[in-house]
Amino acid sequence: MIPHPVPGGPESVLRLRNVKFTYESGIEALGGVNLSVDKGEYLAIVGGNGSGKTTLAKHMNGLLRPSSGDILVLGAPASSRTVAELARVVGYVFQNPDHQLFCGTVQEEVAFGPSNLGLGPTEVQARADHAIDIMGLSHVKGRSPLSLSLGLRRRVSIASVIAMRPQVLVLDEPTTGLDAGEASDLMSIVRLLNEEGSTIVLITHEMKLVAEHANRVVVMAGGRIVLDADARGAFSDPGLLRSSKLLPPPVTLLAHKLAPIGVSKDVLTPEELVFELTRGGVG
Amino acid sequence: MTGFMDLYSERDTFLHRLDPRVKLLAVVTISALAFILSEIWSLLLLLAFILLLMALTGSSFRKAFFALKFVIRFMVLITVLWPLFDRSGTPVLFSIGPLDITEPAVWRGATSAVRVGCFATVWYILMFTTSQRDLVRGLTKLGLRFDYGLALAISFRFIPTFGLTIESIKDAQRARALELDRGSLWRRSKNYVTVLVPTVVTALRTAHMLSLTLQSRAYGAVRERTYLREVRMGPRDYVAAAVALLVFLLPAVAMYHFGVQL
């Protein structure tokens, strides 16, 4: 394992120490994970299916409890706190929005989380309205969430979590099933949340999202972290990614092919490639 | 609950190879026998025979233990409770306050417990040795309409899937700071609405998708469909069916025609 460039300091919001987890069926899903997430980070967890990404993420808000090892949330052990208590700090958005929507209107749906926190009605209302506003749902707030498109249903599910104002937002494959426009809109909103101070943990298969948004990448394989680096570092080694059933984004692969003519290998976006190709000396 | 859904294990024993219809017949005749037998010794003998069959299914000890655990609990419950409610007969063995525990009632309780044990255990043999698909094939061969059979097979198939969906929905609501199992009974039932609604919605969406996929695979295109696995009775099956009938008929004739106490 390559050590994380910034070791978890006092600022870390989440800290996992030698976390192991075995499912009842006897399958070991996590084989000793050490991870420290700092405040304000935008962390992507990537890996093939069955590599342990979701299992790891579910430990962050207590939905799963480690078989051994310990987890600190804001410096305090998570083991003594319920999921509901941890939900104030760590918001978790499930992959399938249909697994949580049950209210008659978007407004009620988004207000459900904050009202579970025992806040007063005005505060609940204010938080719900703010979340609806951020997620761009004002035009549908009186409609039934179930009647909306998948893209909008997913935004409602995110709004209903951010309305609780968690410091950490865990997103499990938020762009699955969305078209390019919906996905890019959603990711811009998430970036905005990050810029406003939220710590983002993004679980995804889409390397393009990782390259464009995350500032740190954790690669998982076989229940272990095999790489923990910044996005450029992570994509510079296609061999390691391939062994974890992943591919760098196409633009990075292209840059690797163009390396013989002097293009830098750590290109992450089309803009960077254009810059590489148009600056003096290349081409 | 999913434990009950994967009782079947892929093996190659004589019981696995039997036609599912013969196995259904055997379950019916053995249950009928358990119903007419009234002596505890004959019932114990029958239970021993059923347990022997169960050993022949080649199922793992763990699986058999899982299955029998429920049967044994039930049998103990019947044995203990029966004499408390049935207070007829003499002699009185002992009294707990106003309750007289009589010897005949204790025997009747034990007899009923063994009978219920027979009923339950014999079904397990069927479940241990017959895949859900074969069971449904057997039922359709016996005249169940194919679409009903398919509906049955699909419901079997989706029980574990829905178990997982419900777990995921519960997790999703807990992640929104909902404490599902806290508060008064009224509070808790209200909490479960948040699980019920997404479950029903997911079920309806799944059912809709399933009907589309069935149609796109030409379900219902022709009246007489063919099957990949034809269930056909072989000589072995006829012998087994005859044995299954005799297991019931011999004691029945002995009891009702010749007046033997069994």
Side-chain angles (χ1 to χ4, degrees):
Chain A
M1 192 183 114
I2 297 165
H4 178 229
V6 190
E11 279 292 285
S12 63
V13 281
L14 282 173
R15 210 158 179 189
L16 288 82
R17 284 194 297 224
N18 200 23
V19 168
K20 293 185 179 175
F21 183 78
T22 308
Y23 280 102
E24 266 178 46
S25 54
I27 297 166
E28 189 191 65
L30 296 178
V33 170
N34 288 291
L35 179 70
S36 176
V37 184
D38 288 352
K39 193 169 173 6
E41 269 193 303
Y42 195 136
L43 169 77
I45 302 180
V46 298
N49 287 329
S51 58
K53 307 185 293 288
T54 298
T55 306
L56 175 61
K58 283 188 174 171
H59 278 80
M60 294 176 176
N61 69 341
L63 285 172
L64 293 175
R65 304 289 180 168
S67 312
S68 71
D70 52 4
I71 296 166
L72 301 176
V73 175
L74 294 181
S79 55
S80 55
R81 284 181 284 170
T82 64
V83 178
E85 284 163 354
L86 293 169
R88 291 168 189 271
V89 185
V90 184
Y92 192 110
V93 181
F94 275 68
Q95 193 173 349
N96 186 346
D98 294 339
H99 283 179
Q100 65 166 73
L101 305 177
F102 70 97
C103 291
T105 66
V106 169
Q107 174 94 37
E108 290 169 42
E109 191 71 57
V110 177
F112 178 73
S115 53
N116 286 333
L117 298 179
L119 304 164
T122 13
E123 178 67 13
V124 168
Q125 202 57 48
R127 285 189 178 198
D129 286 341
H130 184 61
I132 286 172
D133 194 40
I134 293 176
M135 295 311 294
L137 292 165
S138 305
H139 61 298
V140 292
K141 73 177 181 184
R143 283 180 53 190
S144 160
L146 295 168
S147 68
L148 303 174
S149 69
L150 177 65
L152 287 175
R153 294 208 296 280
R154 187 151 289 142
R155 283 205 221 171
V156 175
S157 73
I158 297 175
S160 71
V161 170
I162 62 172
M164 297 190 288
R165 306 253 167 99
Q167 294 191 33
V168 184
L169 186 63
V170 183
L171 299 158
D172 192 350
E173 306 254 4
T175 56
T176 312
L178 301 191
D179 64 35
E182 289 170 327
S184 123
D185 287 352
L186 184 65
M187 293 318 290
S188 324
I189 299 170
V190 173
R191 162 157 283 183
L192 198 72
L193 289 170
N194 180 240
E195 281 162 5
E196 286 177 354
S198 294
T199 307
I200 307 290
V201 176
L202 173 73
I203 304 169
T204 187
H205 279 296
E206 285 183 59
M207 295 303 133
K208 197 167 93 54
L209 294 183
V210 176
E212 286 172 3
H213 298 279
N215 47 38
R216 181 179 162 201
V217 182
V218 163
V219 180
M220 293 200 68
R224 286 188 164 77
I225 294 178
V226 292
L227 180 73
D228 183 347
D230 63 12
R232 279 180 218 287
F235 293 136
S236 63
D237 187 351
L240 180 93
L241 287 178
R242 206 162 285 139
S243 68
S244 313
K245 299 177 204 154
L246 299 169
L247 271 182
V251 68
T252 308
L253 284 176
L254 182 60
H256 280 263
K257 297 266 187 214
L258 293 175
I261 61 161
V263 170
S264 161
K265 280 186 174 186
D266 58 8
V267 164
L268 291 177
T269 61
E271 291 76 16
E272 288 179 7
L273 184 63
V274 169
F275 175 76
E276 283 286 322
L277 291 172
T278 51
R279 81 193 155 135
V282 179
Chain B
M1 279 315 276
T2 49
F4 276 107
M5 294 319 297
D6 52 40
L7 287 174
Y8 173 72
S9 33
E10 195 82 46
R11 294 269 149 69
D12 191 30
T13 72
F14 143 78
L15 285 163
H16 281 76
R17 285 190 298 265
L18 275 186
D19 187 302
R21 285 168 290 176
V22 175
K23 283 186 270 191
L24 274 169
L25 174 74
V27 167
V28 171
T29 59
I30 291 175
S31 303
L33 181 62
F35 189 73
I36 62 168
L37 290 177
S38 55
E39 293 292 319
I40 189 165
W41 307 113
S42 1
L43 279 164
L44 279 172
L45 195 67
L46 181 63
L47 187 59
F49 173 65
I50 296 171
L51 289 174
L52 177 73
L53 285 180
M54 189 176 235
L56 292 179
T57 62
S59 290
S60 66
F61 183 74
R62 225 181 111 190
K63 203 165 253 185
F65 180 75
F66 170 82
L68 290 175
K69 204 168 60 186
F70 294 92
V71 180
I72 292 168
R73 273 188 208 154
F74 213 56
M75 287 173 70
V76 169
L77 204 67
I78 293 172
T79 314
V80 172
L81 290 182
W82 192 285
L84 298 180
F85 293 95
D86 174 7
R87 270 165 277 153
S88 58
T90 48
V92 174
L93 288 178
F94 56 92
S95 305
I96 314 168
L99 284 179
D100 292 336
I101 305 299
T102 70
E103 195 188 313
V106 169
W107 281 112
R108 276 196 292 271
T111 310
S112 303
V114 178
R115 183 176 290 137
V116 168
C118 289
F119 287 149
T121 316
V122 74
W123 274 102
Y124 277 128
I125 296 173
L126 180 70
M127 300 310 282
F128 279 1
T129 60
T130 319
S131 68
Q132 288 157 9
R133 186 191 54 190
D134 282 352
L135 192 59
V136 171
R137 276 302 285 122
L139 289 171
T140 48
K141 273 276 180 179
L142 285 171
L144 183 74
R145 272 176 53 182
F146 176 73
D147 41 358
Y148 292 173
L150 184 71
L152 188 66
I154 288 173
S155 14
F156 278 142
R157 151 74 185 76
F158 273 93
I159 287 172
T161 310
F162 270 108
L164 291 177
T165 307
I166 291 171
E167 282 312 306
S168 171
I169 291 169
K170 280 162 84 171
D171 278 353
Q173 304 302 19
R174 288 165 68 210
R176 293 163 85 191
L178 176 69
E179 306 209 51
L180 273 170
D181 293 311
R182 193 176 257 191
S184 63
L185 191 65
W186 167 241
R187 176 85 241 156
R188 273 180 284 166
S189 359
K190 258 183 78 182
N191 287 347
Y192 270 92
V193 172
T194 67
V195 177
L196 189 68
V197 174
T199 305
V200 172
V201 170
T202 308
L204 290 176
R205 281 191 207 274
T206 310
H208 179 63
M209 279 305 289
L210 195 63
S211 72
L212 293 182
T213 54
L214 280 174
Q215 286 174 52
S216 57
R217 286 156 79 184
Y219 172 70
V222 288
R223 195 172 288 271
E224 278 298 311
R225 73 194 299 284
T226 50
Y227 297 90
L228 177 62
R229 272 168 64 93
E230 272 301 338
V231 191
R232 215 169 264 128
M233 297 274 285
R236 210 204 314 254
D237 294 306
Y238 285 109
V239 173
V243 171
L245 279 174
L246 287 177
V247 160
F248 172 73
L249 286 177
L250 289 181
V253 169
M255 285 171 76
Y256 295 116
H257 193 71
F258 298 103
V260 182
Q261 279 286 332
L262 283 172

